Amino acid sequence: YKRQGYVGLVDGIVLKMKEEIKTDAKVVATGGQAALIAKESTFIDEVVHNLTLEGLKEIFDMNKGARID
């Protein structure tokens, strides 16, 4: 497998991880250049631009109303 640049870096890491876990896990890209890399990537299945913010909102919503002593 030979790709160049950041796409090759990302695909290489994902390929090694999939080989290690021996399953075809779904790959989600996030971050500023995720869409650009995903266009050329062999392994990225989905792009979620605000994944971190969505996760933080989930945590906030779960903890809303919880008392902190």
Side-chain angles (χ1 to χ4, degrees), residues 41-69:
S41 173
T42 304
F43 298 106
I44 295 175
D45 300 308
E46 183 179 355
V47 175
V48 180
H49 293 284
N50 294 315
L51 184 63
T52 302
L53 292 175
E54 290 174 18
L56 289 171
K57 184 175 180 331
E58 281 283 324
I59 293 167
F60 174 80
D61 289 344
M62 287 189 312
N63 290 311
K64 205 181 320 183
R67 282 186 44 184
I68 300 175
D69 293 326

